[in-house]
Structure formats: C-alpha cells, structure tokens
Amino acid sequence: MAQIPVLRDRCLISFSLLGGLILALTVLALMNMTVRELSDIPHLLRVAADSKVIDSIILTMAAGANAIVILMILGIPLAYVLARTDFRGKRIVETIVDIPLMLPHTVAGILVYILFMKRGLIGGPLYDIGFSFEDAYPGIVVAMLFVSSPYFINSAREGFEKVPVHLENVARTLGASRFSAFLHVVLPLSARYIYNGAIFSWGRAIGEFAAIIMIAYYPMVISTLLYYRFTTGGLKESSTIAFIMIIACFSVFLVLRYLSHFIGRHDDRV
Amino acid sequence: MIEFRHLSLTLGEFALRDVSLTINRGDYYFIIGPSGAGKTVILEAIAGLHFPDKGEVLINGSNTTLIPPEKRRISLVYQDYSLFPHMVVEKNIGFGMKMQKRPRDEIDRRVDELLMQFGISHLRNRYPGTLSGGEQQRVAIARALASDPEILLLDEPFAALDPITREQIIADLLRIHREEHLTIVQVTHAREEILRMANRCAVIIDGVRMQEGPVDSVFETPESTAVARFIGMENILSGVVGAGTSSLASIEIEGMSVIAVSKVSPGKDVSIAFRAADVTLHVGDGHASSAQNRFTATITAVIPLGGPLTQVHLNAGFPIIALVTSRSAEDLALSPGMDVVAAIKASVIRVIENESSR
C-alpha cells in the first residue's frame, strides 16, 4: 500500500473528519461509561470477581467459538461450491444463506426454537435419546450458529472467489485432485478471508441475545445475565457487567486483529 | 497423439463449434488465431478442464472425456504463469511430484536438476511475487516439466516478455522439445513464432477451425480469405474466373485480368490472395519479365515500416500493396502519383473459392 502523506491530501483530510464522527460516537459512549465505572472501583472489582459474571462471559465466548468450529466444518464446503459453480437456482441458495442476516433476531429465535425444542423436528428425536437443546448449552450453540452463519459463509466465499481459477487448473494438470488442489492451493490463499469471517461471525455469535433466550434462557449467556440484572438490580449493577464485557471483547478482538496480520499473507503480485 | 473429433463446447458467451484437430506425438503444434478466438479454451479442453457439449477428445486413441485432468499427464502453462504465490520457487516446481506422492529425495533431485537446467538455482527460495516475468516463465515451465508430462500445453508463453528473454525461452523450448521428445501444443496470435518453432498448426477464428496442417502448407495455401488475412497476405481481392487454360486461370477483377496457377473452373466467384513481398515494381517500360501479370499502376502511398522495408500502395484499377526494400524505394525515387509497373508471378497468387460456393 502506498503511503500518502495524509496531511497534504484535502480529500483524505475531509474523509477522515467525516469518518472520525462515527468513531467519536463510539469513543464517547465508551469513555462516558468508563468514567462512570471507574468512579466506584470497589463496586467494579466486586462485580468483576462475581463468579456468575465470569462464568457467563466464558460460556458466551466458548459457545460462540463452538458454533464457529461447526460453522467452519459445514460452511467452508458450501462457500467453495458457491464460489466455483454456477447452477440453476443458485440465487435461491444464496438467499437462503443470507436469510439469518435479514430476519429480526426474535424471528430467528422462533425458527430455531421450533426446530430444536423437545417436540421439534430435530430436537424431538434427539431429546428421546437424551440430548436436549432447551435451556442447555447445545441450544445456545445452535442459535449462535444460525444467526452468525451468513457472515462466515459469505466471507469464505469471497476468499475462494479471489483465488484465480487458473491456479486451481494448473494444480490439477500437475496431478492434484480437486480436493488436493483445494487443500494445498485454494485454502492457504483464502486463509485470511476465512479467518476474518470466523472472527466476524464469532463476534456476531457473542452478541446474540433474542435468538438465544428463546431456546436457552439458562445457562445464562452474558446478554441474558445483563438483561436479568438490569430488570432486577437496576442500571448500576448491569452497566458494570456491560463494562467488563466491553473490556473482555476489546482485548480479545484486538489480539485477533493483530494475529490476522500473520495469517495467509502472501505476495500476490504474480 | 491428441485428436479432437467434432468438439463443441459452450462457455458463457463463447463457443467452440465442431472443431476437429490431429496433433501427432512429438509435434510442435501451434494453435493460432486472433485474440479471443478460443485458443485457450482448446488447451483447457485438451487438459480435461472442460467437458465438451458434443464430440470427443482422444489421447493415444482412447476417449478421455471422463478422465480427470490429474490423471492425464498433460501440463498446462498459462499466459500469466499462474505460479502459486504462497510457495517458494522450489515448492512450486516440486508441487506436481508431491501431489503424485513421489519420494522426497526423488523430488529434491528432480527439482535441483530443473533449477540447474533453467539457470534459476539462485531463485529457489524466492517467492514468485519477487521474480521478473522471464524468471516466472522459467519457473512455470520447469514446474510443468517436473511432473514428467507427455504433453506440454503453452498459452501465449512470450506475450509478456522482453525480446531478449523471449529469445532465451524460445531456445529453451526448442531444446526441450528436441531432447525430451515431448509433444508441445502452443497457442499464439503472433505469426513470427509459428514459422520458427512449429511443424504443424491449426488456425482458429471465432471458435471455428479454419484450417489445419503442416505450417508450410497453411502459410502457402490458405483455404479461406480469413486464414489468408491472418497469415499476413496483404492483398486479398475478389473476382470472377474467366476463360483460361487447364492449369492457368484468368480472374477478372475490376475489368482487369489476373493470371494465377489454379485449376478452378470458369464462372466461379473467387478471391485471390498474395503477399506484398511477391509484388515487384518496375519503373519505365521495356523490361522483359517472366511474370505473367504486369499492371501499370499509380502509387497512392509510400509507407516506411521503420525497418529495412517500405510498403507501397498502388492503384492498378484495383488496389495492390507491394513490399520493397527501403533502399529500392529510395533508388527508384518512389513517390505518390508516380506510375510504375507492378509484376506478380502467376505461381504466387493463391486462388480461394469463396466460402459460400464451397
């Protein structure tokens, strides 16, 4: 990327000022909260040490990560097929992929609930063999999986589309099966997109509330816990939990952003 | 041997229509034609990367339609080289052998050998993005050869190279073809490469095979005006066959008669084609000449081509383009408006029966 001296470019300066407004809004909100929370440090420490809060944060992040692992196993093959083939009805498949993106989260929650509840189409038979989604960890995972899938699939697909078909063709004439060509050429070259897609969808999964409470109010993910404390304990209690969650998310995503610089970087001047 | 039998293939906007080709073992075969004529698609079809809609591709006599590319032992080198950007040079070259699960020490040995052979040993640990076009091309060819193919497919291999590198790669390819007894199929839209390198060629225009055969025969006896134009015959004129002898035809063009060696029958609509270089210009009368055709013509333009040659445009009742050395143009003081005699031997004029009447 060319380094343009920003201060000498009027267009960039005005763009930065406009763009700064949106950042300013977020920063203002964060600062506002930080100042409030830091004014009562003993309270902050007490909430932070509350094992319910810690458990809930860990549960939320773990369930999100779990959903993303399943999403990668199922979503990567789908993304590749969408990137490399053209078939009748492809537009319909693409729309199905995007549906969770457009639906209100409560609607997504109902869809998931009806399918995975104890009497549901999938939930029913699984409940009979002792596997419950209602008010259980798997319910959280499946709700997160549903709402975050479009982010991952579309990002992976974009990555696959960026890999020139010629590279895959050459790999095949050199003796690689389609799967080997995928494994050795396409996947490494789209690793960044897959990684970024995974981070976005993880973030989306962690942030979910409505879809999750419909199938699994318990165990409480952080949004549920926050909402519960807000309605029972009031603003002071809940805003401190929010603050802790913000700190946790900010640090985790900052680290992941840094790591992304080391993933799938290659010189694509060829 | 590769045989295309009546192959048709549609890819989006583009289509190959009823293409038949025969590429013999050991041929240096060129597929030629203007840009966008479908040449790359033919290479991909040979490699097995496209399913034909109709027709079949035979390799050594057996139908390959259902054989996947990785089982064909045909290597393809694209115009953009398509090196794997995330692998260093030696990994790129060794990729095919790794995919074929050859033993590690065999791969190392073969990679070393190819690096030496192409003079790129010093590049072995570099990533493709840091290489020049010529270096990338060498790596791409070395990679294609490493998996020990029977057939090497090259898509416009010189398109992006400077003249010096181009000469070196041409020498490399001719050596490989000679030493390894490899069948090479090369695509190009540049005529000069064909005469130097190929023994057989096919002309493809708009997805249709116009002509196929030994290079000399395609270049000397084009079967259609499109091929004549593509192989660089500057003069293409249409006329009607008049009375002639059994082996010399007289073709009427704009009221003039042009004599050509041809057995075409009188009354037919034909085109004639001949090279500008086959037209000789004489100033003044009285020069006896063995050429059957002598036309008095007025020079309309004199265009120096930047090298030792000059193109002269003439009007002899019909347009003629002649090619003379710049020196002759100077000695004869050729200039627009000047009258000269244009002489053309009957044997250099190619008579093409019009497509509609064939």
Side-chain angles (χ1 to χ4, degrees):
Chain A
M1 226 181 294
Q3 290 294 323
I4 301 153
V6 175
L7 291 176
R8 307 184 69 168
D9 188 321
R10 285 182 185 201
C11 176
L12 281 181
I13 291 173
S14 22
F15 279 18
S16 304
L17 288 175
L18 280 171
L21 288 179
I22 187 92
L23 285 181
L25 191 68
T26 311
V27 171
L28 188 68
L30 290 173
M31 292 305 291
N32 184 30
M33 174 174 263
T34 307
V35 170
R36 274 177 63 117
E37 295 305 324
L38 292 183
S39 64
D40 187 356
I41 290 187
H43 173 71
L44 178 63
L45 291 177
R46 201 173 59 245
V47 177
D50 179 351
S51 68
K52 277 218 176 96
V53 174
I54 297 171
D55 287 353
S56 182
I57 291 180
I58 293 173
L59 169 75
T60 310
M61 292 200 168
N66 204 332
I68 301 320
V69 169
I70 298 172
L71 191 51
M72 286 174 92
I73 295 168
L74 305 177
I76 287 177
L78 174 62
Y80 180 74
V81 171
L82 288 175
R84 281 292 189 254
T85 61
D86 217 352
F87 52 88
R88 199 184 282 262
K90 189 175 174 186
R91 297 284 163 271
I92 297 173
V93 175
E94 288 169 340
T95 310
I96 293 173
V97 167
D98 287 340
I99 279 179
L101 206 67
M102 305 176 251
L103 292 178
H105 297 185
T106 40
V107 177
I110 292 201
L111 281 176
V112 172
Y113 180 62
I114 294 177
L115 199 56
F116 287 93
M117 64 184 183
K118 284 174 190 155
R119 291 169 289 119
L121 195 63
I122 297 177
L126 287 173
Y127 184 70
D128 293 341
I129 57 168
F131 197 80
S132 177
F133 289 90
E134 279 183 51
D135 285 333
Y137 179 76
I140 300 172
V141 173
V142 86
M144 286 178 164
L145 181 70
F146 186 73
V147 296
S148 61
S149 62
Y151 296 89
F152 179 76
I153 294 165
N154 289 331
S155 178
R157 174 188 172 168
E158 199 188 331
F160 294 150
E161 279 171 350
K162 286 264 160 67
V163 179
V165 180
H166 280 187
L167 293 184
E168 224 175 317
N169 286 350
V170 165
R172 298 204 62 194
T173 63
L174 291 173
S177 64
R178 194 186 260 280
F179 181 69
S180 297
F182 172 76
L183 207 62
H184 294 280
V185 176
V186 180
L187 209 52
L189 291 176
S190 45
R192 257 172 98 73
Y193 285 84
I194 291 172
Y195 180 82
N196 285 333
I199 293 180
F200 276 126
S201 47
W202 190 41
R204 178 70 189 76
I206 288 173
E208 186 52 40
F209 172 49
I212 294 173
I213 53 162
M214 290 195 162
I215 189 157
Y217 191 86
Y218 294 104
M220 282 188 183
V221 292
I222 196 70
S223 323
T224 316
L225 182 71
L226 190 82
Y227 185 70
Y228 170 74
R229 294 276 171 93
F230 179 69
T231 49
T232 56
L235 186 59
K236 186 165 172 68
E237 178 87 13
S238 54
S239 70
T240 308
I241 298 179
F243 182 67
I244 292 162
M245 186 62 186
I246 289 166
I247 303 275
C249 283
F250 191 83
S251 347
V252 169
F253 283 94
L254 191 65
V255 170
L256 292 175
R257 274 270 171 221
Y258 268 108
L259 287 180
S260 85
H261 282 279
F262 302 100
I263 289 182
R265 280 179 81 83
H266 56 84
D267 197 328
D268 54 5
R269 279 176 293 176
V270 285
Chain B
M1 188 167 97
I2 309 166
E3 259 180 284
F4 272 43
R5 289 202 186 146
H6 306 289
L7 191 94
S8 294
L9 200 155
T10 312
L11 274 181
E13 304 276 289
F14 174 79
L16 285 182
R17 293 190 297 272
D18 196 28
V19 172
S20 294
L21 301 173
T22 308
I23 302 166
N24 299 312
R25 183 184 282 269
D27 269 352
Y28 203 129
Y29 190 98
F30 264 61
I31 294 172
I32 59 184
S35 304
K39 305 177 302 268
T40 305
V41 177
I42 293 181
L43 290 190
E44 290 177 340
I46 296 174
L49 295 160
H50 299 301
F51 272 121
D53 301 335
K54 260 192 287 179
E56 51 193 20
V57 181
L58 280 75
I59 294 176
N60 299 330
S62 52
N63 189 346
T64 60
T65 311
L66 293 174
I67 300 179
E70 63 268 26
K71 301 246 188 297
R72 293 194 180 199
R73 299 189 60 202
I74 299 176
S75 289
L76 169 61
V77 177
Y78 278 111
Q79 186 177 352
D80 60 8
Y81 319 129
S82 290
L83 297 176
F84 304 129
H86 58 306
M87 295 179 198
V88 294
V89 166
E90 61 177 355
K91 295 280 177 213
N92 261 285
I93 297 176
F95 181 84
M97 297 179 80
K98 189 178 159 198
M99 290 300 111
Q100 295 167 359
K101 304 209 163 53
R102 306 268 193 91
R104 186 66 200 266
D105 55 333
E106 188 194 331
I107 298 179
D108 290 346
R109 213 168 39 240
R110 180 79 176 125
V111 170
D112 283 346
E113 191 183 298
L114 284 160
L115 285 168
M116 289 283 283
Q117 199 182 339
F118 284 89
I120 47 175
S121 297
H122 58 294
L123 304 174
R124 65 186 311 149
N125 292 317
R126 295 259 297 270
Y127 281 93
T130 67
L131 305 180
S132 71
E135 289 167 340
Q136 289 189 30
Q137 179 64 284
R138 286 198 180 85
V139 176
I141 295 172
R143 179 178 67 177
L145 294 174
S147 51
D148 197 20
E150 286 178 6
I151 300 162
L152 178 62
L153 308 174
L154 302 168
D155 187 3
E156 302 259 7
F158 315 128
L161 300 180
D162 62 85
I164 294 168
T165 313
R166 196 180 116 115
E167 286 307 313
Q168 290 165 343
I169 304 248
I170 288 177
D172 281 341
L173 287 172
L174 289 172
R175 175 179 54 75
I176 294 161
H177 179 245
R178 200 173 52 240
E179 288 173 4
E180 321 238 337
H181 308 291
L182 201 64
T183 307
I184 300 183
V185 183
Q186 182 166 331
V187 150
T188 191
H189 64 263
R191 293 189 290 262
E192 354 18 303
E193 296 168 11
I194 307 158
L195 294 162
R196 281 183 66 182
M197 305 178 75
N199 63 321
R200 282 167 56 79
C201 68
V203 183
I204 307 285
I205 295 174
D206 286 338
V208 175
R209 191 211 72 177
M210 306 299 290
Q211 194 170 347
E212 185 197 32
V215 172
D216 297 347
S217 98
V218 172
F219 273 69
E220 277 157 27
T221 54
E223 287 164 4
S224 61
T225 50
V227 172
R229 195 168 294 122
F230 182 74
I231 61 169
M233 290 191 162
E234 295 90 339
N235 295 286
I236 298 173
L237 302 158
S238 48
V240 181
V241 182
T245 65
S246 61
S247 59
L248 285 184
S250 163
I251 293 122
E252 309 298 327
I253 296 167
E254 309 278 344
M256 315 282 285
S257 292
V258 179
I259 310 293
V261 179
S262 169
K263 293 199 170 86
V264 70
S265 42
K268 278 202 165 155
D269 286 338
V270 294
S271 295
I272 61 166
F274 53 95
R275 290 180 190 281
D278 287 331
V279 179
T280 0
L281 301 183
H282 303 270
V283 177
D285 280 332
H287 297 285
S289 166
S290 64
Q292 287 280 340
N293 298 293
R294 291 168 64 81
F295 303 104
T296 307
T298 311
I299 296 177
T300 53
V302 178
I303 305 168
L305 295 181
L309 298 173
T310 293
Q311 212 180 49
V312 183
H313 291 229
L314 306 141
N315 181 6
F318 54 88
I320 298 176
I321 298 173
L323 199 62
V324 299
T325 58
S326 302
R327 178 117 179 238
S328 307
E330 215 168 284
D331 289 351
L332 298 174
L334 298 178
S335 60
M338 186 175 166
D339 283 339
V340 294
V341 172
I344 312 159
K345 289 160 78 176
S347 58
V348 301
I349 297 177
R350 170 78 186 146
V351 178
I352 298 165
E353 295 185 40
N354 279 353
E355 283 82 356
S356 54
S357 60
R358 276 172 71 196

